[in-house]
Amino acid sequence: MREFTFEVPCEQSAATFWALRSDVGFDRWFAALDRQDISVLGNEESTGADGLVSTRRLQKLSFRTNPIPKPFRRLAGLRTDETFAFHVKSSFWTTVFDEQHPYVFQTTFPGILASRVVVCGRQWCVPVTENSCKLMGFVQVCSQRVPATTA
């Protein structure tokens, strides 16, 4: 297991950045930078007893070019002609963005990778000034060896 923390300065207010972070269009723009496409499979808002609105979202990210070499695709339980795609399940509050109300995500990979690789984490904003903030994050990557197959 590997754990990573990060802190990224942002020249926008925390509320402005969080509005972007909550926007599917921002996710699409960001994914395009990595040559991925996003499909929204689910997007549900609810209001809690405290009056805060939260969103649960399920997205499918597809690489435009499969990053897994063809010889390894079969080992991972994938068809060799298949585009590599994975799901991201996330939840977040739409107007609250502190460490106690983070953006939480978890990935689900295809084939045998689903039971062997998990990437999850959380992000939140810390206001620095009226017009700047820090995006804080924690990512955890857990992996197990993918067994080799014999011919």
Side-chain angles (χ1 to χ4, degrees):
M1 173 175 45
R2 302 269 185 190
E3 296 180 340
F4 307 91
T5 58
F6 62 86
E7 181 177 311
V8 180
C10 182
E11 295 304 318
Q12 295 180 352
S13 70
T16 299
F17 178 80
W18 204 250
L20 283 172
R21 184 68 199 95
S22 303
D23 185 345
V24 173
F26 180 77
D27 288 342
R28 285 192 177 107
W29 174 80
F30 211 84
L33 295 176
D34 287 334
R35 294 184 297 275
Q36 297 177 37
D37 295 311
I38 288 185
S39 302
V40 178
L41 305 177
N43 194 56
E44 179 184 309
E45 284 192 353
S46 60
T47 303
D50 55 7
L52 297 176
V53 176
S54 64
T55 299
R56 292 189 185 280
R57 188 174 288 159
L58 177 62
Q59 298 177 325
K60 179 181 178 181
L61 281 85
S62 303
F63 281 88
R64 295 175 186 160
T65 303
N66 194 327
I68 299 178
K70 282 187 179 186
F72 296 109
R73 292 179 196 172
R74 179 163 286 151
L75 290 175
L78 306 171
R79 292 192 340 245
T80 57
D81 62 341
E82 189 173 25
T83 300
F84 186 76
F86 60 96
H87 292 100
V88 177
K89 197 184 315 184
S90 62
S91 62
F92 54 92
W93 284 264
T94 56
T95 59
V96 186
F97 40 78
D98 58 12
E99 189 172 3
Q100 290 74 38
H101 300 91
Y103 177 97
V104 177
F105 67 91
Q106 181 171 340
T107 58
T108 303
F109 293 100
I112 195 171
L113 297 177
S115 63
R116 302 287 179 171
V117 180
V118 175
V119 179
C120 59
R122 59 189 186 276
Q123 300 173 356
W124 64 94
C125 281
V126 175
V128 175
T129 68
E130 191 174 295
N131 297 313
S132 67
C133 67
K134 289 188 285 188
L135 175 63
M136 310 296 287
F138 171 80
V139 178
Q140 187 177 61
V141 179
C142 301
S143 64
Q144 297 176 5
R145 294 186 75 167
V146 176
T149 60
T150 58

